[in-house]
């Protein structure tokens, strides 16, 4: 009964009726310039009874509670392609309308912890001895690797149901504002069998934001990872 999230033994199980429909389209290559291009789109519609949501009950404590009836619908679009065999690009956008449609009219509105919009984009630049960077002879002996950049844009969301009501005083509103996260990283295959080195900077813009549940997130963070992997040799049985 203490901590950032407290329990609720009175929760009811969720009962959901869900459906989605979509398509995936593989586009033809445009010579050696554009390959692996594709487009995906999907629409989803979920009606949930006794939906479990995490609500902010005080300034720093959240509690899971049931929403008698909820309706969550939206769409997602994904596009991806590779350019010149070494540059990969992908974009993902999701929109959802998540509403409390229960019996209590004072509780209706946007569901806590569910942003209406999110967009993500990523660029990858790969190189290897078979596909060296077009930077002259000095680039040929570079260790195989990948350089990437990504951005995650998330719309604001409410933390409790009162925040979605226009007649509630301002000091009762609990919201998380929109946020933008930028990241950059480098991965290298070291000249040792199965050993890779990865360096990544998350939240490169050093934005001091909060997650969808209001928890404060760290600013600019650097990760360094050394990994070793192995795989089974064909016909070896091990």
């Amino acid at each position: 009964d203490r901590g950032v999230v407290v329990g609720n033994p009175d929760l009811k199980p969720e009962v959901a009726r869900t459906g989605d429909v979509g398509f995936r389209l593989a586009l033809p290559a445009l010579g050696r310039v554009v390959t692996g291009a594709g487009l995906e789109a999907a629409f989803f519609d979920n009606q949930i009874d006794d939906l479990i949501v995490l609500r902010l009950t005080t300034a720093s404590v959240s509690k899971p509670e049931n929403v008698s009836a909820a309706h969550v619908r939206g769409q997602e679009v994904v596009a991806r392609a590779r350019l010149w065999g070494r540059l990969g690009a992908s974009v993902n956008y999701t929109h959802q309308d998540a509403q409390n449609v229960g019996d209590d009219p004072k509780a209706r509105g946007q569901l806590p912890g569910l942003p209406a919009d999110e967009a993500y984009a990523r660029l990858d630049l790969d190189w290897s001895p078979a596909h060296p960077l077009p930077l002259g002879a000095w680039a040929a002996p570079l260790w195989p690797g990948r350089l990437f950049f990504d951005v995650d844009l998330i719309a604001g969301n409410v933390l409790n149901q009162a925040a979605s009501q226009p007649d509630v005083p301002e000091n009762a509103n609990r919201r998380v504002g929109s946020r933008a996260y930028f990241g950059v990283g480098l991965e290298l295959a070291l000249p040792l069998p199965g050993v890779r080195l990865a360096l990544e900077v998350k939240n490169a813009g050093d934005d001091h934001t909060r997650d969808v549940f209001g928890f404060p997130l760290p600013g600019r963070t650097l990760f360094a990872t050394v990994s070793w992997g192995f795989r089974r040799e064909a016909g070896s049985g091990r």
Side-chain angles (χ1 to χ4, degrees), residues 120-194:
Y120 177 81
R122 181 182 176 104
L123 289 174
D124 291 91
L125 177 63
D126 303 327
W127 62 89
S128 66
H131 295 89
L133 295 173
L135 300 176
W138 69 271
L142 289 177
W143 295 340
R146 177 167 62 97
L147 180 68
F148 65 88
F149 169 81
D150 64 2
V151 56
D152 193 4
L153 307 175
I154 308 174
N157 61 271
V158 300
L159 299 177
N160 58 18
Q161 207 63 52
S164 64
Q165 305 303 317
D167 56 344
V168 174
E170 183 64 26
N171 59 8
N173 289 346
R174 304 292 185 182
R175 297 178 179 269
V176 173
S178 59
R179 50 267 192 211
Y181 303 125
F182 300 91
V184 62
L186 172 68
E187 293 183 2
L188 293 174
L190 303 184
L192 297 171

Side-chain angles (χ1 to χ4, degrees), residues 82-155:
R82 290 194 64 82
L83 305 176
W84 299 286
R86 63 172 58 89
L87 182 63
S90 61
V91 179
N92 180 302
Y93 170 71
T94 303
H95 171 75
Q96 63 180 352
D97 181 22
Q99 297 290 320
N100 182 338
V101 294
D103 298 330
D104 184 2
K106 294 183 179 180
R108 294 175 181 173
Q110 182 183 0
L111 287 169
L114 296 177
D117 299 280
E118 181 172 3
Y120 177 81
R122 181 182 176 104
L123 289 174
D124 291 91
L125 177 63
D126 303 327
W127 62 89
S128 66
H131 295 89
L133 295 173
L135 300 176
W138 69 271
L142 289 177
W143 295 340
R146 177 167 62 97
L147 180 68
F148 65 88
F149 169 81
D150 64 2
V151 56
D152 193 4
L153 307 175
I154 308 174

